[in-house]
Amino acid sequence: MTADRLTILHVYPRQMGVSGDRGNVAALVRRAAAAGLDTEVLEYAPGDDLPAAADVVVIGNGPLSAMRSLGADVARIAAPLRSFASDGVPVIAVGGGFDLATNEVVPTEGAPLAGFGVFDARAVRGAERRVNYFVLETRYPLLPGAPKRLAGFEDHATTIELAAGVTPFADVVSGCGNQAGAPVEGAIVGTSFGTHTQGPILPLNPQLTDGVLAAATARLGREYAPDPEQTATIDRYAREARATVDRYVDKAFKRIA
């Protein structure tokens, strides 16, 4: 955080940003503003100099072809991203970005791709494809009293194999999740999380946005307290969207071979 600005680092916005992932960045900016926090968004493209400091990192969704094209750059910035996470900077990895933030991505054909290694897990492609509304009970730390239930959308054919001792991001209420046996979704390490929940996840679930920003500001010795009057409208929209997911979740489940 420089000059009282919270720095949000958006990694590969062009290559890994196919599911409205800028919405996650926008939610962080809007929510921070409601807590009186200025923000600066930095976009990182392959070959750039990675910023030496960040307060939140966002990695969005993208196809396997994009991941393959990023291979050399992924290896170049993997260690700094792991350092961000180990230093308590929330790294938010969604969809293909979550796959890329594991130790390796194993495609159905060809050699495995090395990931960032933020999460001690691997992403194995070729599972049954699930396209579904998604309801979860998150294990990510939220503000006191905030509801744990999240809603979103999943669309992936990946099995996430978590290493022993890795905490899942959430327990699955409705949907599929990691597809590795237990009904869990994603992964948590410190204040970072990875998930296949799209939507985008943060605008749909403001309490999760609050949890991320609370973690980021606590690391800097700042208090995070959004103004309810400033968030009332967007909170209402999110509640209505989540209610729609709850209403249709069991009617829209699809399996794609």
Side-chain angles (χ1 to χ4, degrees), residues 1-8 29 32-33 35-41 55 213 216-217 220-224:
M1 190 169 187
T2 304
D4 292 327
R5 287 182 180 270
L6 203 67
T7 300
I8 301 168
V29 170
L37 295 169
D38 291 331
T39 53
E40 177 184 22
V41 177
D55 299 306
L213 290 170
T217 52
L220 301 167
R222 293 281 300 270
E223 182 181 358
Y224 173 75

Side-chain angles (χ1 to χ4, degrees), residues 70-96:
L70 295 167
D73 198 75
V74 167
R76 188 173 68 88
I77 68 169
L81 288 183
R82 290 195 300 270
S83 293
F84 281 148
S86 63
D87 288 343
V89 174
V91 176
I92 311 309
V94 179

Side-chain angles (χ1 to χ4, degrees), residues 88-176:
V89 174
V91 176
I92 311 309
V94 179
F98 174 34
D99 295 352
L100 197 60
T102 67
N103 295 326
E104 67 173 0
V105 181
V106 182
T108 55
E109 297 180 356
L113 310 176
F116 294 125
V118 171
F119 304 100
D120 192 5
R122 69 175 193 155
V124 181
R125 295 297 186 98
E128 184 177 50
R129 188 167 200 91
R130 299 298 179 109
V131 181
N132 183 44
Y133 289 118
F134 212 11
V135 180
L136 307 168
E137 290 282 335
T138 188
R139 302 190 193 185
Y140 191 80
L142 306 178
L143 295 179
K148 296 282 188 179
R149 180 159 292 202
L150 308 178
F153 190 81
E154 66 174 334
D155 178 4
H156 68 101
T158 301
T159 298
I160 297 293
E161 298 175 351
L162 302 179
V166 175
T167 300
F169 168 66
D171 298 289
V172 175
V173 176
S174 184
C176 189

Side-chain angles (χ1 to χ4, degrees), residues 143-250:
L143 295 179
K148 296 282 188 179
R149 180 159 292 202
L150 308 178
F153 190 81
E154 66 174 334
D155 178 4
H156 68 101
T158 301
T159 298
I160 297 293
E161 298 175 351
L162 302 179
V166 175
T167 300
F169 168 66
D171 298 289
V172 175
V173 176
S174 184
C176 189
N178 287 351
Q179 305 199 83
V184 297
E185 163 59 16
I188 294 173
V189 58
T191 60
S192 300
F193 71 81
T195 179
H196 280 108
T197 313
Q198 299 173 32
I201 185 172
L202 294 186
L204 272 174
N205 302 280
Q207 74 274 34
L208 182 59
T209 312
D210 286 342
V212 171
L213 290 170
T217 52
R219 174 176 170 270
L220 301 167
R222 293 281 300 270
E223 182 181 358
Y224 173 75
D227 182 347
E229 291 187 3
Q230 293 190 46
T231 63
T233 299
I234 198 165
D235 287 350
R236 176 171 59 84
Y237 289 157
R239 283 194 303 271
E240 291 171 354
R242 293 196 305 274
T244 299
V245 171
D246 283 337
R247 188 159 57 247
Y248 291 107
V249 66
D250 293 326

